[in-house]
Amino acid sequence: MSDQSGIQNYNRTRVLTLIGTILTQLALGSVYTWSLFNGQLSEKLGEPVSRVALTFGILSLCLALASSVAGKLQERFGVRTVTIAAGLLMAAGFALTAHSDNVLMLYISAGVLVGLADGAGYLLTLTNCVKWFPERKGLISACSIGAYGLGSLLFKFVCGHLLATEGLQNTFMIWGGIAMVMVIAGAMMMKDAPKQETANVTREENSLNDSTNDTRDFTLAEAIRAPQYWMLALMFLTACMSGLYVIGVAKDIGQSLVKLDALTAANAVTVIAIANLSGRLVLGVLSDKMQRIRVISIAQIVSLAGMSLMLFTQMNEMMFFFSVACVAFSFGGTITVYPSLVSDFFGLNNMTKNYGLLYLGFGIGSIFASLVASLFGGFAVTFSIITALLIVSLVLSATIRLPNKSETGHNTLQHV
């Protein structure tokens, strides 16, 4: 009877953690509505839109930096405390943004503070939730990161309504308050996942998707000595570079390359949101049914198709929406599958740290694409570099093998 009660308590705890994670991710995903504010902030501060839009690049970089240290924060303070702190910091960042009267203050408040809060809460709650469900890593990643994507779609309507009725300053205050309440409420439902048992890995007992009996246990120091870690890092950076760049300039691509009017081109935001969410759900669920590295290969092929249309064809309206949808679908699916993929390669116990460092590619990819575009002008050079990197990534995903940690601590290749 006691065993049955223990199982019931365990299942109840992890279901509550999942619900809390989804609620938190919905709030954290709201930052992807940032493009709604560029125009009004540009008028308020007397700055060009390009300088105001840089705020989101700073936010993405700080998000990635915070994600890289999320594992250490969890070890010291626990998932609930860190998530509550993230909610409070996010609200403070939006409150300061509401009262920003120059672009530097905007960069600090919305870029640095909101980015750090979002990054700490995002990766920490995601990986902790995945650890609770080792038998359904792909599905849980899809639920969690899908909620993050859905948050951007949900808050697009919330923030759009607030901007029309409450004005810019009040919108930031209300947005921050709503996000804080959702994050803290979600945090109160969470508990830290139990440590996974590990054992020696043999060739016969492991595969690229070992979701029921995860026997790998690489520390971060051990993981970064494996060439596979840096192969995964390059693939992740490429996916983020293509996805974040196209998402950030989709409207401009429509107007410049396809000669669409501003209203029609703006529909790309809705297309991207739907495709992004679809990629998270479809590829996330698929990753529990086939090797996750093969799912990444599929995502790379889809993104390559979209980038090739932009680079090599004279797009019409339908082709434009299809191409940005391909890139957004691939990006959403990739960031959903990657946490579980990293745990397949290096184990669950140190997943937050191992994925956290690799997640720096999110911020680096975003900034690098923007720098290339600003240095060379136009879209052609940026599209060409992204396409070349996607081809390299596809080759890597087709040839990569699991690392195997021997008893002496050296990493060897495990063929599957």
Side-chain angles (χ1 to χ4, degrees):
M1 190 70 179
S2 59
D3 288 344
Q4 185 176 359
S5 177
I7 293 172
Q8 289 176 345
N9 287 335
Y10 175 83
N11 286 332
R12 179 177 178 274
T13 299
R14 68 177 190 165
V15 168
L16 282 175
T17 297
L18 174 60
I19 295 171
T21 300
I22 290 173
L23 185 60
T24 297
Q25 295 283 347
L26 281 169
L28 296 177
S30 67
V31 297
Y32 281 86
T33 61
W34 183 258
S35 61
L36 294 175
F37 299 90
N38 285 334
Q40 290 194 34
L41 283 168
S42 175
E43 292 179 12
K44 175 186 175 182
L45 303 178
E47 297 282 355
V49 171
S50 59
R51 291 194 69 187
V52 172
L54 181 59
T55 306
F56 188 73
I58 296 171
L59 187 154
S60 298
L61 181 60
C62 290
L63 191 159
L65 289 171
S67 297
S68 69
V69 299
K72 287 190 175 296
L73 291 174
Q74 183 181 13
E75 281 183 357
R76 182 164 184 180
F77 301 107
V79 65
R80 181 178 294 176
T81 300
V82 177
T83 305
I84 290 173
L88 294 172
L89 182 60
M90 192 172 187
F94 280 130
L96 290 172
T97 301
H99 297 91
S100 295
D101 55 8
N102 60 74
V103 73
L104 178 60
M105 187 173 177
L106 180 67
Y107 290 162
I108 294 171
S109 58
V112 177
L113 295 184
V114 174
L116 291 175
D118 206 85
Y122 165 73
L123 188 62
L124 182 69
T125 56
L126 163 65
T127 54
N128 181 70
C129 192
V130 169
K131 289 176 188 177
W132 274 108
F133 296 85
E135 77 285 3
R136 290 288 182 270
K137 292 188 288 188
L139 177 62
I140 297 305
S141 289
C143 290
S144 180
I145 301 179
Y148 192 81
L150 186 61
S152 66
L153 192 59
L154 173 65
F155 275 84
K156 175 177 180 279
F157 298 104
V158 173
C159 292
H161 174 73
L162 289 172
L163 277 173
T165 58
E166 300 292 337
L168 185 64
Q169 181 170 313
N170 286 341
T171 295
F172 279 121
M173 296 296 294
I174 296 170
W175 179 11
I178 294 173
M180 179 185 70
V181 170
M182 290 176 68
V183 170
I184 292 176
M188 297 306 294
M189 301 182 197
M190 299 177 200
K191 284 191 176 181
D192 290 279
K195 189 175 177 66
Q196 302 293 315
E197 292 184 5
T198 60
N200 291 328
V201 178
T202 66
R203 182 173 304 188
E204 292 76 23
E205 70 184 352
N206 210 350
S207 68
L208 277 172
N209 272 19
D210 184 10
S211 59
T212 57
N213 183 25
D214 197 307
T215 55
R216 301 182 160 270
D217 191 21
F218 284 68
T219 65
L220 178 59
E222 291 167 339
I224 62 176
R225 289 199 293 268
Q228 292 92 329
Y229 189 86
W230 302 106
M231 294 165 73
L232 291 175
L234 179 60
M235 288 187 278
F236 185 75
L237 184 147
T238 301
C240 291
M241 183 178 175
S242 59
L244 292 171
Y245 178 70
V246 170
I247 288 170
V249 299
K251 181 181 175 182
D252 303 301
I253 294 171
Q255 290 182 278
S256 300
L257 299 185
V258 195
K259 308 303 179 185
L260 300 177
D261 60 79
L263 189 60
T264 304
N267 289 330
V269 176
T270 303
V271 171
I272 284 170
I274 294 171
N276 195 345
L277 180 59
S278 299
R280 294 166 193 246
L281 296 175
V282 172
L283 296 185
V285 172
L286 188 62
S287 72
D288 276 336
K289 302 183 182 302
M290 62 185 293
Q291 291 182 348
R292 291 188 181 92
I293 195 65
R294 299 287 80 86
V295 177
I296 294 299
S297 298
I298 292 171
Q300 291 164 343
I301 292 169
V302 172
S303 184
L304 194 56
M307 294 304 304
S308 298
L309 284 174
M310 295 184 200
L311 186 60
F312 299 115
T313 68
Q314 189 70 37
M315 289 186 295
N316 56 31
E317 182 178 335
M318 183 175 294
M319 288 174 66
F320 163 65
F321 287 127
F322 178 76
S323 62
V324 297
C326 283
V327 176
F329 180 91
S330 171
F331 172 66
T334 298
I335 63 174
T336 299
V337 174
Y338 245 75
S340 299
L341 180 68
V342 171
S343 75
D344 290 338
F345 273 74
F346 303 109
L348 272 173
N349 283 328
N350 297 297
M351 177 183 172
T352 307
K353 291 180 182 177
N354 292 338
Y355 182 52
L357 178 62
L358 188 146
Y359 196 77
L360 285 172
F362 183 92
I364 296 170
S366 174
I367 294 294
F368 182 62
S370 299
L371 285 175
V372 170
S374 63
L375 286 173
F376 295 99
F379 300 109
V381 174
T382 312
F383 288 168
S384 298
I385 291 174
I386 291 172
T387 300
L389 286 171
L390 281 169
I391 293 171
V392 172
S393 295
L394 184 57
V395 172
L396 291 178
S397 70
T399 57
I400 194 170
R401 296 292 183 266
L402 288 173
N404 189 21
K405 188 169 60 173
S406 69
E407 293 181 1
T408 59
H410 298 290
N411 293 318
T412 58
L413 285 176
Q414 180 188 342
H415 296 277
V416 292

